[in-house]
Short mmCIF file of all heavy atoms in Angstrom, two decimals:
data_model
loop_
_atom_site.label_atom_id
_atom_site.label_comp_id
_atom_site.label_asym_id
_atom_site.label_seq_id
_atom_site.Cartn_x
_atom_site.Cartn_y
_atom_site.Cartn_z
N GLU B 28 46.04 -17.06 -73.15
CA GLU B 28 46.80 -16.29 -74.12
C GLU B 28 45.94 -15.87 -75.31
O GLU B 28 45.98 -14.72 -75.76
CB GLU B 28 47.95 -17.18 -74.63
CG GLU B 28 49.21 -16.43 -75.01
CD GLU B 28 50.30 -17.42 -75.37
OE1 GLU B 28 50.76 -18.16 -74.45
OE2 GLU B 28 50.66 -17.50 -76.56
N GLU B 29 45.14 -16.83 -75.79
CA GLU B 29 44.26 -16.52 -76.93
C GLU B 29 43.22 -15.48 -76.56
O GLU B 29 42.88 -14.61 -77.36
CB GLU B 29 43.58 -17.79 -77.42
CG GLU B 29 44.55 -18.71 -78.15
CD GLU B 29 43.83 -19.90 -78.78
OE1 GLU B 29 42.58 -19.93 -78.73
OE2 GLU B 29 44.52 -20.78 -79.30
N LEU B 30 42.68 -15.60 -75.33
CA LEU B 30 41.69 -14.63 -74.88
C LEU B 30 42.32 -13.24 -74.83
O LEU B 30 41.76 -12.27 -75.36
CB LEU B 30 41.18 -15.05 -73.49
CG LEU B 30 40.03 -14.25 -72.86
CD1 LEU B 30 39.27 -15.12 -71.86
CD2 LEU B 30 40.49 -12.98 -72.19
N LEU B 31 43.50 -13.17 -74.22
CA LEU B 31 44.19 -11.87 -74.12
C LEU B 31 44.57 -11.35 -75.51
O LEU B 31 44.67 -10.14 -75.72
CB LEU B 31 45.43 -11.99 -73.22
CG LEU B 31 45.15 -12.30 -71.75
CD1 LEU B 31 46.45 -12.58 -71.00
CD2 LEU B 31 44.37 -11.17 -71.07
N GLY B 32 44.73 -12.30 -76.45
CA GLY B 32 45.06 -11.92 -77.82
C GLY B 32 43.86 -11.47 -78.63
O GLY B 32 43.98 -11.12 -79.79
N GLY B 33 42.67 -11.52 -78.01
CA GLY B 33 41.49 -10.98 -78.67
C GLY B 33 40.65 -11.98 -79.44
O GLY B 33 39.82 -11.61 -80.26
N LYS B 34 40.86 -13.29 -79.15
CA LYS B 34 40.04 -14.29 -79.85
C LYS B 34 38.71 -14.50 -79.11
O LYS B 34 38.68 -14.99 -77.98
CB LYS B 34 40.80 -15.61 -79.95
CG LYS B 34 42.04 -15.46 -80.82
CD LYS B 34 42.44 -16.75 -81.50
CE LYS B 34 43.60 -16.51 -82.44
NZ LYS B 34 44.44 -17.70 -82.64
N HIS B 35 37.62 -14.17 -79.79
CA HIS B 35 36.30 -14.28 -79.16
C HIS B 35 35.95 -15.72 -78.79
O HIS B 35 35.24 -15.96 -77.82
CB HIS B 35 35.23 -13.68 -80.08
CG HIS B 35 35.06 -12.21 -79.86
ND1 HIS B 35 35.57 -11.27 -80.72
CD2 HIS B 35 34.45 -11.51 -78.87
CE1 HIS B 35 35.27 -10.05 -80.28
NE2 HIS B 35 34.60 -10.17 -79.16
N ARG B 36 36.43 -16.69 -79.59
CA ARG B 36 36.11 -18.08 -79.25
C ARG B 36 36.77 -18.49 -77.95
O ARG B 36 36.21 -19.25 -77.16
CB ARG B 36 36.50 -19.01 -80.39
CG ARG B 36 35.47 -18.94 -81.53
CD ARG B 36 35.90 -19.72 -82.73
NE ARG B 36 35.92 -21.15 -82.50
CZ ARG B 36 36.23 -22.04 -83.44
NH1 ARG B 36 36.55 -21.62 -84.65
NH2 ARG B 36 36.22 -23.32 -83.18
N ALA B 37 37.96 -17.98 -77.69
CA ALA B 37 38.63 -18.27 -76.42
C ALA B 37 37.86 -17.62 -75.27
O ALA B 37 37.70 -18.21 -74.19
CB ALA B 37 40.06 -17.76 -76.46
N LEU B 38 37.38 -16.40 -75.50
CA LEU B 38 36.56 -15.73 -74.48
C LEU B 38 35.32 -16.55 -74.17
O LEU B 38 34.98 -16.78 -72.99
CB LEU B 38 36.17 -14.33 -75.00
CG LEU B 38 35.19 -13.52 -74.15
CD1 LEU B 38 35.76 -13.25 -72.76
CD2 LEU B 38 34.85 -12.19 -74.84
N ALA B 39 34.64 -17.01 -75.21
CA ALA B 39 33.42 -17.80 -75.02
C ALA B 39 33.72 -19.08 -74.25
O ALA B 39 32.98 -19.45 -73.33
CB ALA B 39 32.79 -18.13 -76.38
N ARG B 40 34.82 -19.74 -74.60
CA ARG B 40 35.17 -20.99 -73.91
C ARG B 40 35.54 -20.73 -72.46
O ARG B 40 35.20 -21.50 -71.58
CB ARG B 40 36.31 -21.71 -74.63
CG ARG B 40 35.84 -22.42 -75.91
CD ARG B 40 36.67 -23.66 -76.21
NE ARG B 40 38.10 -23.39 -76.18
CZ ARG B 40 38.78 -22.75 -77.16
NH1 ARG B 40 38.14 -22.31 -78.23
NH2 ARG B 40 40.06 -22.58 -77.07
N ALA B 41 36.24 -19.65 -72.22
CA ALA B 41 36.62 -19.31 -70.84
C ALA B 41 35.37 -19.07 -69.99
O ALA B 41 35.27 -19.57 -68.86
CB ALA B 41 37.51 -18.06 -70.82
N ILE B 42 34.41 -18.34 -70.54
CA ILE B 42 33.19 -18.06 -69.77
C ILE B 42 32.39 -19.35 -69.55
O ILE B 42 31.81 -19.55 -68.48
CB ILE B 42 32.34 -16.95 -70.44
CG1 ILE B 42 33.13 -15.62 -70.41
CG2 ILE B 42 31.01 -16.78 -69.73
CD1 ILE B 42 32.41 -14.43 -71.01
N THR B 43 32.39 -20.25 -70.52
CA THR B 43 31.72 -21.54 -70.32
C THR B 43 32.35 -22.29 -69.16
O THR B 43 31.66 -22.84 -68.30
CB THR B 43 31.78 -22.38 -71.61
OG1 THR B 43 31.11 -21.67 -72.65
CG2 THR B 43 31.11 -23.74 -71.41
N LYS B 44 33.67 -22.31 -69.12
CA LYS B 44 34.37 -22.98 -68.01
C LYS B 44 34.02 -22.31 -66.67
O LYS B 44 33.81 -22.98 -65.66
CB LYS B 44 35.89 -22.93 -68.21
CG LYS B 44 36.43 -24.04 -69.12
CD LYS B 44 37.94 -23.91 -69.29
CE LYS B 44 38.50 -24.92 -70.28
NZ LYS B 44 39.00 -26.14 -69.63
N ILE B 45 33.96 -20.99 -66.70
CA ILE B 45 33.62 -20.24 -65.48
C ILE B 45 32.20 -20.56 -65.05
O ILE B 45 31.94 -20.83 -63.88
CB ILE B 45 33.79 -18.72 -65.74
CG1 ILE B 45 35.28 -18.36 -65.77
CG2 ILE B 45 33.05 -17.90 -64.69
CD1 ILE B 45 35.58 -16.98 -66.32
N GLU B 46 31.27 -20.56 -66.00
CA GLU B 46 29.87 -20.82 -65.68
C GLU B 46 29.69 -22.22 -65.12
O GLU B 46 28.95 -22.42 -64.16
CB GLU B 46 29.00 -20.64 -66.94
CG GLU B 46 27.51 -20.81 -66.65
CD GLU B 46 26.63 -20.61 -67.87
OE1 GLU B 46 27.17 -20.53 -68.99
OE2 GLU B 46 25.40 -20.54 -67.70
N ASN B 47 30.37 -23.18 -65.71
CA ASN B 47 30.20 -24.58 -65.28
C ASN B 47 31.15 -24.98 -64.16
O ASN B 47 31.10 -26.12 -63.71
CB ASN B 47 30.40 -25.52 -66.46
CG ASN B 47 29.35 -25.31 -67.52
OD1 ASN B 47 28.21 -24.94 -67.21
ND2 ASN B 47 29.73 -25.54 -68.77
N ARG B 48 32.01 -24.06 -63.73
CA ARG B 48 33.02 -24.41 -62.72
C ARG B 48 33.79 -25.65 -63.17
O ARG B 48 34.02 -26.57 -62.40
CB ARG B 48 32.40 -24.65 -61.35
CG ARG B 48 31.64 -23.51 -60.68
CD ARG B 48 31.98 -22.17 -61.09
NE ARG B 48 32.18 -21.19 -60.01
CZ ARG B 48 32.63 -19.97 -60.23
NH1 ARG B 48 32.91 -19.58 -61.46
NH2 ARG B 48 32.80 -19.12 -59.26
N SER B 49 34.19 -25.67 -64.45
CA SER B 49 34.95 -26.80 -65.00
C SER B 49 36.37 -26.76 -64.46
O SER B 49 36.88 -25.69 -64.11
CB SER B 49 35.01 -26.70 -66.52
OG SER B 49 33.73 -26.61 -67.06
#
Side-chain angles (χ1 to χ4, degrees):
Chain B
E28 211 175 293
E29 288 187 6
L30 186 155
L31 294 172
K34 295 208 175 153
H35 273 103
R36 283 174 68 178
L38 174 61
R40 284 211 310 284
I42 295 181
T43 299
K44 276 179 185 265
I45 286 167
E46 183 179 10
N47 296 329
R48 299 337 226 173
S49 305

